[in-house]
Amino acid sequence: MKISIGNDHAGPDYKKAIVEMLEAKGHEVTNYGTDSVESVDYPDFGRPVATDVAEGKADFGIVICGSGNGISMTANKQSKVRAALCWMKEIAVLARQHNDANIISIPARFTSIPQAVEMVDAFLNTDFEGGRHQTRVDKISC
C-alpha cells in the first residue's frame, strides 16, 4: 500500500514509530511531517496528505497533531477525504467498517505511541462493510 503521513510538532515520535511499523510491513510511505518539536502549523502537514488521498496518490493517510482535531479538520476540507479522529483501536476499526474512512487522525497528546501504532495497524487492516453504510457514506460529501 501507499500511505501518506503528516504531523505537527506534537507527533514526531509517533510518526517515527508508525513509519517503522509500516515500512517493516512493506508499505510505501510518503512523509510530509516535521521531525522537530518546534511549533509549526498543522495545516501545512495535513493538507498534502489529504491531497495525496484525494488524488489517488496514496491509498490511505495518517495525520497527527496534539488533539487530532485541527489536522483532521484540515484534511476533511478535501473532496473524497473522510478523515476520522481516533483515540482507540475500536474507533479506528469502526471508522473503516462503517464510514469508509481513508485518513486516520491521531491525537498525540491523548494516546500513547504503542496505542497509535495499534490503531494504524487496525485501521489499515479493516475493510469497509458497505451495505447499509454505503448510503450514509454517499451522503457525506458536500
Side-chain angles (χ1 to χ4, degrees):
M1 264 188 268
K2 292 182 180 180
I3 300 163
S4 290
I5 189 168
N7 61 284
D8 73 0
H9 52 277
D13 293 338
Y14 287 72
K15 178 189 64 183
K16 182 176 184 242
I18 291 166
V19 169
E20 285 175 3
M21 179 270 292
L22 294 172
E23 289 178 342
K25 292 183 178 224
H27 299 296
E28 181 182 325
V29 180
T30 302
N31 177 6
Y32 292 107
T34 183
D35 292 322
S36 172
V37 294
E38 295 276 327
S39 182
V40 295
D41 298 332
Y42 54 79
D44 297 337
F45 303 95
R47 188 167 289 117
V49 172
T51 299
D52 278 2
V53 171
E55 294 178 355
K57 295 177 186 173
D59 300 303
F60 291 101
I62 302 162
V63 292
I64 308 161
C65 75
S67 71
N69 280 308
I71 205 160
S72 177
M73 290 176 189
T74 300
N76 276 317
K77 296 294 181 194
Q78 283 279 356
S79 178
K80 301 181 184 174
V81 165
R82 290 171 306 281
L85 174 57
C86 300
W87 57 92
M88 60 194 304
K89 178 181 152 185
E90 293 79 7
I91 298 296
V93 168
L94 287 173
R96 286 288 306 129
Q97 287 177 336
H98 293 187
N99 310 116
D100 198 19
N102 49 20
I103 295 180
I104 183 172
S105 181
I106 298 170
R109 294 194 177 115
F110 299 93
T111 58
S112 68
I113 290 173
Q115 187 177 20
V117 170
E118 179 184 46
M119 285 189 301
V120 169
D121 190 46
F123 184 84
L124 297 176
N125 288 295
T126 301
D127 293 325
F128 176 50
E129 289 180 351
R132 65 188 164 96
H133 303 293
Q134 185 64 59
T135 303
R136 297 166 187 158
V137 170
D138 290 342
K139 293 179 179 182
I140 293 173
S141 294
C142 294

